Amino acid sequence: MPSDHALEKFAESIYLEDTTGENFIENVIHTQNLPSILAKLSPRDRILEFGYGEGTITAPLVERGYSVEIVEGSEKLCEAARARFGDKVVVHHSLFEEFKPAQPYDAALALHVLEHVDEPRAAIAAMASCLTPEGRIVGVVPNAQSLHRQLAVMIGLQSKPDDLSPRDHAVGHQRVYNLDQFASDFEACGLEIEERFGYFVKIVPNSMMRDWSPDLLRALTGISDQLPPHLLANIGVVARRRPPT
C-alpha cells in the first residue's frame, strides 16, 4: 500500500476535497450501475467493503438494510465514515493486507481499490481470507482496453492503452488492467471466476466530460449491456473460493 502520508494526501485531495472537479462523474456512473452490483449479493449477506472513498456505495447499502463493515487505510476517511453513519456501519482502520476479521463475511466489495495497492494479489488473498467458504468477492477496476484509451492511442495522446493518464496519477492509480489480467489475479489466489462484467461507455477522458449532464452519464451507463465488457470503462469480476477437491 502507499505510505500513510500518501494515503492521507489522496484522502484529502480526492475524496474529502475533490481537487479534480471530476468526482461527480464517477459518482453518477457508479450509482447508476449499483443495482447490477447489488444483484450479485444476497439481501442477507454480511458485507465487507474495502475502501470508503466518498461513501457512494456505502450509503445505498445501509439504506437497503445490509450489514456493512468497512476496511479503510486512511484514518481521515475512517473518521468521515464514522461521522456520517455512526453505529450503522462498523469501520476498521487497517491496510487491506493486515486486516484480520473477528468472523467471516459473506461478500467482499473491492470496487476501484485494487488499482491503488502495491501488491494486488496479496490484497486479494487477504480479502479471500475474510470470507466464509461460500463467500465471494466483487471486484471492479478501470479498464485498460476502454474505448477512450484505445482512441487516445489512435490519435497519439498515449503510446499504449495501459499507460497511466494524468488522472490516473492524480488519484493514485498504480496500474490499469484488461479483463483477462484482472481475472488472472483472482485465479492466482485460488479463486474461481463466476462472472465477468463491465459498465459505462466512455470515449473521452473525464476532463472532457465535466459539463456533461447526469442524464447523459446515466444513459451511457445504462446502455453498457449492449457492448462487450472488454470495451467499457470499468471492468469487474465475481470470484468465489474453489470448492475443495
Side-chain angles (χ1 to χ4, degrees):
M1 288 289 289
S3 67
D4 289 348
H5 175 73
L7 280 171
E8 299 303 348
K9 180 181 177 181
F10 286 125
E12 288 183 356
S13 64
I14 302 303
Y15 301 115
L16 299 177
E17 179 186 355
D18 178 16
T19 57
T20 70
E22 298 168 6
N23 281 13
F24 82 94
I25 297 168
E26 300 295 331
N27 291 342
V28 170
I29 293 165
H30 301 320
T31 300
Q32 177 69 18
N33 186 68
L34 184 60
S36 70
I37 296 292
L38 295 181
K40 307 176 194 309
L41 307 174
S42 165
R44 294 179 296 278
D45 279 350
R46 291 183 66 250
I47 297 172
L48 185 60
E49 185 179 5
F50 285 89
Y52 174 69
E54 294 180 277
T56 303
I57 301 301
T58 310
L61 289 174
V62 171
E63 290 168 4
R64 288 164 171 79
Y66 284 95
S67 172
V68 183
E69 299 188 20
I70 297 168
V71 179
E72 170 57 57
S74 161
E75 179 59 42
K76 291 181 180 179
L77 291 183
C78 287
E79 292 171 359
R82 293 182 185 115
R84 181 174 180 182
F85 296 104
D87 60 5
K88 295 179 180 177
V89 172
V90 177
V91 181
H92 305 276
H93 179 218
S94 173
L95 298 180
F96 299 161
E97 299 89 339
E98 297 175 0
F99 179 66
K100 304 296 182 185
Q103 55 182 322
Y105 301 85
D106 302 301
L109 297 181
L111 307 181
H112 288 284
V113 294
L114 290 169
E115 66 270 30
H116 292 271
V117 301
D118 291 339
E119 298 291 341
R121 291 186 179 182
I124 292 168
M127 293 173 183
S129 72
C130 295
L131 298 175
T132 64
E134 298 79 24
R136 57 207 178 281
I137 303 172
V138 182
V140 174
V141 290
N143 180 17
Q145 293 181 308
S146 170
L147 290 171
H148 82 288
R149 290 182 181 271
Q150 296 193 49
L151 288 170
V153 172
M154 291 179 67
I155 63 177
L157 294 179
Q158 59 190 67
S159 60
K160 309 187 304 297
D162 61 357
D163 285 345
L164 294 179
S165 69
R167 177 173 171 83
D168 287 320
H169 289 294
V171 300
H173 292 173
Q174 299 199 49
R175 67 193 60 80
V176 286
Y177 286 95
N178 65 43
L179 194 47
D180 286 340
Q181 290 169 338
F182 193 46
S184 71
D185 271 1
F186 286 84
E187 291 170 334
C189 295
L191 299 165
E192 287 186 341
I193 303 301
E194 289 191 334
E195 180 184 351
R196 301 182 182 208
F197 61 92
Y199 61 94
F200 190 60
V201 181
K202 183 175 184 178
I203 62 170
V204 296
N206 284 19
S207 59
M208 298 176 67
M209 296 192 290
R210 290 175 183 168
D211 60 351
W212 288 17
S213 74
D215 285 343
L216 177 56
L217 296 172
R218 283 189 282 266
L220 289 168
T221 307
I223 203 172
S224 299
D225 59 3
Q226 298 188 37
L227 286 176
H230 73 271
L231 296 178
L232 299 171
N234 305 287
I235 49 172
V237 298
V238 180
R240 185 187 293 270
R241 285 181 170 179
R242 291 193 182 107
T245 56

